[in-house]
Amino acid sequence: METCRIPANASKCSGTTMECFMVLSTQAQKISIGILCGLFGTMCVFENSLVLYLIFSSPGTRKKPSYLFIGSLALADILASIIFVCSFVNFHVFNEAGFSKEVFLLQLGGVNTSFSASLSSLLLTALDRYISISRPSEYKLLMTRKRAWTALAVLWVTCATIACLPLLGWNCCVLDSACSELFPFVDDNYLSGWICFVVVLLGCIVYAYAHVLWRARQHVAYMEKHQAQAGKQNTRMRMDVMLAKTLAMVLAVLMLCWSPVLVLMTYSIFGRLSDRLRKVFAFCSTLCLLNSMVNPIIYALRSKELFSSLRRVFSHFRRQLKAPEESPEAESTHKSSVIET
């Protein structure tokens, strides 16, 4: 089979070379990618939609900045799943290349905006926990709902602006510069900048969580030493420790899912990727969906408030299913059947 090599000049911007980025060469690879994207994407949309419903249907959670940030994370994961699955499967599985440069960069901007907002929402959640544990007496004054909504607005606008820079002109076609080996029309310098942006976000999250977990460990030791003092303060500290551990699990999953993609992106800037590595990158990209799918599971298992809300939803659903069976019509039908018998 003849290998499609990407030219090293600006002619890469022509529509005819879009096929060079379609790295899945066999039907088995396409079916595998389609199944992974379909499974992860469907589960991700369902689970994150459920998380949003649980947060905003309960007055106790929708008023807390912590859950506003988690809601932003869930919304970003929903959008990322929908846009990523549709564009990725359409391009790599069905090999649709009959769209313009602007349409492709718009799709790529949507994916980057969603994933960047997801990561940034996790950063805001880490900072929220950092303030809650490092300055508990001033937390309610520092982290108000108004400030939380303002931070979320700045977050989404910033992520959308950075993601849309290639569409606005920072691409290798307009600048006549070196194009990325992984993404059509994307300038290598822009890709380097986006990787640096993601690494800075991850670095800030790691620093915040390192402090949060250190303080959480101190709180655990304090509670074990003063078990007799069971009061509101201890309850609040237990909640902070639980949420800190939960979000540390989210961070660990995030690093495991995103590290392969970031490593291959970085390698593509400094060296030339083989066809095999480009196929590996296509499969590793689905790990981003896996990360978005796992996050809600961690919330449901670790957050007592969300888990209690989930139990109430299931209890209400079971009562709705049992209601027709216990209705007068059902009882009369049952009695008549007994008489006939």
Side-chain angles (χ1 to χ4, degrees), residues 17-295:
T17 59
M18 289 286 288
E19 296 179 356
C20 296
F21 293 89
M22 299 174 182
V23 295
L24 303 181
S25 55
T26 66
Q27 196 67 21
Q29 293 173 354
K30 295 179 181 181
I31 293 175
S32 300
I33 284 288
I35 292 175
L36 289 175
C37 288
L39 177 61
F40 292 163
T42 302
M43 293 297 296
C44 179
V45 171
F46 172 75
E47 293 171 357
N48 283 285
S49 299
L50 181 60
V51 169
L52 283 177
Y53 174 78
L54 294 177
I55 291 175
F56 290 99
S57 64
S58 173
T61 55
R62 67 168 176 259
K63 293 181 180 180
K64 295 182 179 180
S66 301
Y67 288 101
L68 290 179
F69 298 146
I70 292 176
S72 174
L73 177 61
L75 176 61
D77 286 337
I78 291 174
L79 294 177
S81 300
I82 295 174
I83 301 174
F84 177 84
V85 169
C86 293
S87 58
F88 194 79
V89 171
N90 189 47
F91 186 79
H92 284 289
V93 176
F94 297 108
N95 297 139
E96 289 291 337
F99 43 78
S100 64
K101 175 191 71 175
E102 289 74 17
V103 172
F104 178 84
L105 292 178
L106 181 62
Q107 293 176 351
L108 184 63
V111 173
N112 286 345
T113 298
S114 303
F115 281 128
S116 300
S118 176
L119 187 60
S120 300
S121 298
L122 188 57
L123 174 60
L124 288 183
T125 309
L127 295 178
D128 174 75
R129 290 299 89 201
Y130 178 90
I131 296 173
S132 176
I133 287 185
S134 62
R135 307 175 70 176
S137 59
E138 305 175 24
Y139 173 75
K140 290 187 177 180
L141 295 176
L142 295 174
M143 190 58 66
T144 61
R145 290 190 67 198
K146 183 178 180 180
R147 290 181 177 178
W149 282 112
T150 301
L152 289 175
V154 172
L155 177 158
W156 281 90
V157 171
T158 302
C159 291
T161 302
I162 294 176
C164 290
L165 288 177
L167 182 62
L168 298 176
W170 191 355
N171 58 73
C172 58
C173 298
V174 174
L175 301 178
D176 194 19
S177 56
C179 295
S180 170
E181 291 187 72
L182 296 174
F183 306 100
F185 315 122
V186 174
D187 179 69
D188 264 344
N189 292 326
Y190 170 80
L191 184 60
S192 302
W194 190 83
I195 293 174
C196 291
F197 172 67
V198 171
V199 170
V200 168
L201 288 179
L202 289 175
C204 293
I205 294 173
V206 170
Y207 174 80
Y209 275 120
H211 184 83
V212 166
L213 294 177
W214 175 66
R215 292 300 296 268
R217 186 176 181 181
Q218 288 185 327
H219 285 175
V220 170
Y222 175 85
M223 288 186 290
E224 291 176 351
K225 187 177 180 180
H226 302 83
Q227 288 183 354
Q229 301 177 0
K232 186 175 181 180
Q233 183 66 20
N234 277 356
T235 302
R236 173 60 183 276
M237 285 194 297
R238 290 180 189 276
M239 291 176 60
D240 288 339
V241 170
M242 179 64 71
L243 192 52
K245 291 180 179 180
T246 299
L247 297 175
M249 292 174 61
V250 174
L251 178 60
V253 173
L254 180 77
M255 295 295 292
L256 290 174
C257 292
W258 276 86
S259 294
V261 173
L262 291 176
V263 168
L264 288 174
M265 284 183 182
T266 304
Y267 182 78
S268 71
I269 296 173
F270 298 100
R272 188 171 182 83
L273 293 176
S274 64
D275 292 339
R276 184 174 182 179
L277 283 179
R278 292 169 66 203
K279 292 178 182 179
V280 170
F281 177 79
F283 279 91
C284 288
S285 299
T286 61
L287 291 177
C288 302
L289 283 178
L290 178 63
N291 171 68
S292 299
M293 185 187 73
V294 170
N295 285 343

